[in-house]
Amino acid sequence: MRIERISEILEEGKRAFSEAADEASRSETEVRLLGRKSELSEILRGLKDLSPEEKREFGPVVQGARRALEEAAAAAKERLLVEGRDWESERIDVSLPGADDPLGHLHPVTTMIREIEDIFTRLGFEIAEGPELETEFYNFDALNVPADHPARDMQDTFFVESDGFDTRYLLRTHTSPVQVRYMETHTPPFRIIVPGRVFRNESTDASHEHTFHQFESLVVGETGDVTVGHFKHLGETFFSEFFGRHVEVRLRPSYFPFVEPGFEFDISCVLCGGAGCPACKRTGWLEVGGAGMVQQKVFEAAGYPRGKYQGFAWGFGLERLVMMKRRIPDIRLLMSGDLRFIRQF
Ligand code: DAH
């Protein structure tokens, strides 16, 4: 075996790879010089018949030549790949304007919640929240709703399978449970609003949804400090600001277990100003929700001593206000997920 022959093979091979004009000839060169039947492979196989001294002399030279040729083959492959690309067709015009990514926007209910939060924040209110998955205790018991009250009925409440738990869980039917949760960790005086999603197990129509929003208000101070007068004034201030015109408030006696006295809360019709129109069924008034002076039993459920505090609360349907403000005829449109509707806002 001659060292010179190995250098010849190496030199010739390097040249062949660097001169290969296409992948076919490069690959053919690879087989010829490095394949099983190549002269180099033959030499490699013959190494085992040499004496130990010869092995030491030739082995590294042959192995080195093989590695160098493999590298030359790989380099040629890379070179041919780059040369073979059609650069012209891959040219990018960096001056072209980018594709216009359509931007989404806030849902009208979200916009409305933020608007309401802004108004109340300016009036010194805090914003509180509570869980949508609520316990029967906070949703009903703590609010003095009797165990046999029809609102607890399967028809109105989505009860959640609570096997294995000590408490019964449900999807909250109103935002009022947050009153008690908040009072458990805060001491009066305070004023809060609680916007949030609520759920009712009822059939839907143009003015009823199974999933909708309310915003609760709770204002509490020492007995004598917070009256129905404050409450009516706050209502007028808020609604006048919200609708951008003067709005009157009317309270009608009503019953809710968590307030005493309780009221239906009406505002003067924002379309006709109280003169009477189809929107207010010619009465001049629109009903927006329930309200009243907080029942002492609710204070007690939150751990307050009886008689020490006095306050008012209300719970208004948010969608109803969105519908009045944006003139939307059907509540179901709001949660329909129909983009043709949503894009109008
Ligand atoms: N939680 C009641 C409902 O969902 C509304 C309500 C009535 C809330 C009177 C109040 C209130 O805070 O004082 O129908």
Side-chain angles (χ1 to χ4, degrees):
M1 176 176 311
R2 290 185 308 119
I3 292 263
E4 292 74 22
R5 180 61 199 138
I6 295 171
S7 335
E8 272 169 31
I9 294 172
L10 182 57
E11 289 317 308
E12 192 218 324
K14 279 185 177 168
R15 196 174 339 105
F17 281 124
S18 68
E19 284 172 1
D22 52 39
E23 175 56 23
S25 67
R26 188 206 66 87
S27 153
E28 185 249 312
T29 305
E30 191 170 18
V31 171
R32 181 164 55 81
L33 295 176
L34 289 161
R36 244 179 339 105
K37 291 184 200 142
S38 64
E39 191 179 347
L40 201 59
S41 295
E42 192 76 8
I43 295 172
L44 269 164
R45 273 195 294 278
L47 280 178
K48 67 176 189 317
D49 302 325
L50 299 180
S51 69
E53 297 77 45
E54 285 174 319
K55 266 188 205 159
R56 253 198 305 282
E57 191 187 346
F58 288 112
V61 180
V62 185
Q63 297 288 8
R66 184 180 173 84
R67 253 196 312 280
L69 280 182
E70 280 167 356
E71 275 162 26
K77 188 168 195 145
E78 184 68 31
R79 169 179 60 80
L80 289 167
L81 219 69
V82 172
E83 284 173 4
R85 286 210 9 214
D86 179 1
W87 296 105
E88 196 49 41
S89 77
E90 289 182 33
R91 185 191 291 277
I92 291 168
D93 182 351
V94 293
S95 69
L96 280 176
D100 195 8
D101 261 336
L103 264 189
H105 63 78
L106 295 176
H107 190 278
V109 168
T110 307
T111 313
M112 195 101 331
I113 290 175
R114 299 203 176 170
E115 226 173 276
I116 291 170
E117 287 177 348
D118 279 352
I119 296 174
F120 279 99
T121 306
R122 266 183 270 135
L123 293 170
F125 279 66
E126 299 231 357
I127 297 155
E129 327 186 287
E132 292 176 353
L133 179 65
E134 191 47 284
T135 65
E136 191 171 26
F137 173 77
Y138 285 108
N139 198 80
F140 293 126
D141 300 278
L143 293 169
N144 190 35
V145 181
D148 57 358
H149 195 283
R152 293 206 193 194
D153 207 294
M154 292 309 249
Q155 259 122 52
D156 289 317
T157 306
F158 287 111
F159 282 98
V160 175
E161 296 240 5
S162 312
D163 295 353
F165 291 94
D166 295 339
T167 358
R168 236 170 134 201
Y169 287 92
L170 46 78
L171 295 180
R172 67 177 176 195
T173 58
H174 50 181
T175 43
S176 303
V178 187
Q179 291 187 23
V180 182
R181 285 184 176 277
Y182 185 86
M183 289 194 287
E184 280 178 340
T185 52
H186 295 79
T187 308
F190 60 73
R191 36 194 155 166
I192 58 166
I193 58 157
V194 185
R197 190 156 55 158
V198 301
F199 310 86
R200 298 268 172 95
N201 189 3
E202 26 173 56
S203 38
T204 60
D205 61 30
S207 49
H208 294 89
E209 251 298 16
H210 49 74
T211 302
F212 56 102
H213 295 76
Q214 289 186 330
F215 77 101
E216 194 85 8
S217 173
L218 179 66
V219 177
V220 181
E222 301 269 328
T223 296
D225 285 356
V226 182
T227 68
V228 176
H230 292 127
F231 155 37
K232 198 167 174 230
H233 177 72
L234 177 68
E236 276 172 8
T237 307
F238 165 68
F239 281 109
S240 298
E241 183 128 352
F242 181 74
F243 286 109
R245 59 175 297 172
H246 179 69
V247 173
E248 300 268 346
V249 166
R250 179 176 79 170
L251 302 177
R252 283 178 292 127
S254 182
Y255 176 74
F256 300 95
F258 29 96
V259 282
E260 180 56 42
F263 307 104
E264 293 297 336
F265 192 108
D266 298 341
I267 57 172
S268 53
C269 180
V270 291
L271 296 189
C272 65
C277 71
C280 58
K281 302 200 185 79
R282 316 229 160 263
T283 63
W285 296 96
L286 297 166
E287 201 178 308
V288 292
M293 300 303 287
V294 180
Q295 247 282 359
Q296 288 298 324
K297 284 188 181 157
V298 178
F299 286 146
E300 286 180 314
Y304 292 173
R306 192 176 182 86
K308 187 165 197 282
Y309 300 115
Q310 188 175 315
F312 62 77
W314 74 50
F316 297 155
L318 209 114
E319 276 79 0
R320 253 182 85 72
L321 298 179
V322 179
M323 289 164 73
M324 286 177 204
K325 195 159 175 172
R326 310 281 210 179
R327 317 253 162 125
I328 298 164
D330 191 322
I331 191 172
R332 291 168 297 189
L333 288 165
L334 285 164
M335 290 290 154
S336 64
D338 189 335
L339 291 178
R340 292 169 306 175
F341 169 75
I342 295 299
R343 284 199 181 111
Q344 297 176 67
F345 298 95

